Amino acid sequence: MDPGLEASAALEEGLQRLLAGEPLQYVVGWQEFYGRRFRVAPGVLIPRPETEILVREACVRALQLDGPRVLDLCTGSGCIAWSIALEVPGASVTAVDLSDDALAVARGQNPAFLHPGSGSEASSSAKEGLIAPRFLKADVLKEDIPGGSFDIITANPPYIRESEKVHMHRNVLEHEPAMALFVPDDDPLVFYRAIARHALACLVPAGWGIVEINEALGSETAAVFAAAGLQNVEILRDFFGRERFVTFNR
Ligand SMILES: C[S@@+](CC[C@H](N)C(=O)[O-])C[C@H]1O[C@@H](n2cnc3c(N)ncnc32)[C@H](O)[C@@H]1O
């Protein structure tokens, strides 16, 4: 096809998808996160800006360690796993998700393209010390997380209660994967109980963890980690002062 016609057909198709309410990020195929472009596609959650706070906190900890071992649960696009691997030379990151679509996107991220300001140009410094994350399929709610010891655990699990759907935009409800977002109203902390169990099993003594949480359930979520026997449990706030993260030590 004539390149001009091809471009205008692609533009027309993108426009139709936008008019049908599809998020812009799925139409263009990427979302900016922690200064890099991450590939996204229907079937994987679009990374959100508040999750960058989790990455920053994890990088501050990881940079104090020599060759830190990091476990990222519920990895989705791999935005947390890849950001830590790229920011912390020598970090070995294991990342887990249950969704085949998410794992395909996470594994398909291009570290050269992810380098800030690099566009599609590969930069050798971008990859210096980079160990590509290992992406594994596992159900966080079951006991089949890969064995091994980790210095740091990160997780942004599903945490929106079904009853909160009424406050959400149509383009999220109709286009982003429900399994990435929702938890039952009668057990909204189910993922945090599982993550606390994994933290106790996988973290080295004094190892550290951070999870993103539902702002309406800050103290309840912190209580899950304290009750499980984790230490120094604290709630962190986001840019708007909302309770959005819980941190802890083994
Ligand atoms: C809120 S999204 C977070 C994605 C990504 N970490 C981010 O911050 O953009 C939650 C992720 O958990 C995954 N997930 C849902 N249930 C799961 C389970 N039982 N075990 C493992 N992963 C699960 C979803 O596929 C989704 O990718």
Side-chain angles (χ1 to χ4, degrees):
M1 198 197 281
D2 172 87
L5 283 178
E6 211 171 313
S8 78
L11 201 60
E12 176 63 27
E13 194 221 312
L15 199 57
Q16 290 309 322
R17 289 172 65 187
L18 286 174
L19 288 171
E22 201 170 331
L24 174 66
Q25 292 89 337
Y26 288 153
V27 176
V28 296
W30 58 270
Q31 165 65 29
E32 183 99 4
F33 181 84
Y34 217 78
R36 301 182 173 91
R37 278 188 179 191
F38 279 84
R39 196 164 83 77
V40 292
V44 66
L45 190 90
I46 299 164
R48 305 296 204 266
E50 56 269 27
T51 307
E52 295 178 326
I53 297 174
L54 180 156
V55 169
R56 188 192 64 205
E57 294 294 321
C59 288
V60 166
R61 302 280 169 156
L63 284 164
Q64 293 166 11
L65 302 171
D66 188 21
R69 295 154 297 174
V70 181
L71 176 63
D72 179 40
L73 300 173
C74 300
T75 198
S77 63
C79 58
I80 297 172
W82 276 108
S83 297
I84 295 172
L86 283 153
E87 292 289 324
V88 185
S92 67
V93 184
T94 301
V96 170
D97 206 285
L98 186 55
S99 155
D100 290 316
D101 287 345
L103 287 166
V105 168
R107 290 184 179 122
Q109 300 291 358
N110 177 351
F113 192 62
L114 291 174
H115 184 58
S118 70
S120 58
E121 285 277 308
S123 150
S124 58
S125 68
K127 290 193 270 181
E128 224 167 79
L130 169 66
I131 303 169
R134 213 164 49 113
F135 290 99
L136 305 173
K137 182 171 180 174
D139 186 344
V140 165
L141 298 178
K142 299 191 179 146
E143 298 306 312
D144 60 353
I145 294 302
S149 296
F150 296 92
D151 303 294
I152 292 174
I153 285 187
T154 58
N156 177 16
Y159 56 69
I160 302 172
R161 290 167 290 186
E162 293 280 346
S163 56
E164 294 176 279
K165 277 183 178 172
V166 287
H167 307 298
M168 294 174 68
H169 289 290
R170 223 189 86 207
N171 62 347
V172 174
L173 291 172
E174 291 180 1
H175 295 278
E176 293 200 76
M179 78 174 280
L181 295 165
F182 299 111
V183 285
D185 275 28
D186 62 1
D187 196 6
L189 304 179
V190 58
F191 278 90
Y192 299 102
R193 288 200 306 276
I195 293 164
R197 276 200 309 273
H198 296 308
L200 286 170
C202 302
L203 275 182
V204 296
W208 179 86
I210 182 165
V211 293
E212 188 168 316
I213 65 168
N214 185 325
E215 64 182 282
L217 300 172
S219 51
E220 292 92 329
T221 313
V224 166
F225 289 92
L230 290 150
Q231 308 294 313
N232 307 323
V233 177
E234 284 178 17
I235 296 173
L236 297 188
R237 293 171 185 271
D238 69 9
F239 313 117
F240 304 101
R242 298 178 298 209
E243 295 184 341
R244 294 308 311 277
F245 309 94
V246 166
T247 62
F248 52 84
N249 284 102
R250 160 115 189 258

